[in-house]
Amino acid sequence: MLRMSYMPSDFHPILLVLGQKPELLALAAIFERFSETGGTLSLTEAGVFSTDTQVTLDELPEGAAQKPGLWPRARGANDLIWRLPRQYAWIFANEIANLGTSTEVAGSATLECDQLGEIRAKVSIGEWEEGYLEDDFR
């Protein structure tokens, strides 16, 4: 099961996304589709399971005043908005696809837009217990 959770921290907050290779390829397809169509897309509605986190991809047009990256909608909230230019979504799709097609049994990719203070997303395979991020495990 492809699953995610926001892990807030004063120093290094992350959005952790865990899954197996076929699931990571499905996530790569979500980002690739977003890179083609833009607009707004809920990761939860697209099939990324979470009991405590909502992430919405939001297209960031060229020249927009807002900074790209993954940000909380409100302080202390687990409702995140990921403002992405289409080109970033395409790059992220390729990074996730490379992880999903790798011959390695474990690894990760960090997705970020190089903005000070943004939340980094870590997409990981084989580095965490299978049930991690499910309520029964925590």
Side-chain angles (χ1 to χ4, degrees):
M1 173 187 344
L2 187 59
R3 55 211 181 279
M4 70 177 169
S5 185
Y6 173 50
M7 300 178 148
S9 166
D10 289 341
F11 300 105
H12 302 290
I14 66 166
L15 174 69
L16 184 59
V17 182
L18 306 176
Q20 298 301 316
K21 291 184 181 198
E23 297 156 347
L24 294 186
L25 293 176
L27 180 62
I30 291 168
F31 276 91
E32 185 172 357
R33 185 172 56 247
F34 182 80
S35 76
E36 294 167 354
T37 62
T40 301
L41 175 71
S42 164
L43 287 184
T44 305
E45 291 175 13
V48 184
F49 174 80
S50 181
T51 60
D52 62 0
T53 303
Q54 294 290 323
V55 178
T56 303
L57 300 180
D58 190 34
E59 180 182 359
L60 188 64
E62 279 292 317
Q66 297 170 315
K67 294 189 281 187
L70 182 59
W71 309 96
R73 287 190 189 264
R75 188 170 180 84
N78 283 10
D79 185 5
L80 309 175
I81 186 162
W82 208 339
R83 294 186 191 101
L84 290 176
R86 289 185 186 190
Q87 180 180 3
Y88 278 71
W90 184 82
I91 292 168
F92 291 174
N94 284 295
E95 289 184 28
I96 297 166
N98 288 340
L99 183 61
T101 58
S102 170
T103 59
E104 301 294 323
V105 295
S108 64
T110 301
L111 311 177
E112 61 183 315
C113 297
D114 295 325
Q115 296 293 316
L116 184 63
E118 81 174 297
I119 299 165
R120 291 184 177 118
K122 181 174 182 167
V123 179
S124 175
I125 183 170
E127 297 178 321
W128 302 82
E129 296 276 336
E130 181 59 32
Y132 197 74
L133 299 184
E134 294 175 9
D135 282 344
D136 293 339
F137 191 89
R138 295 195 252 184

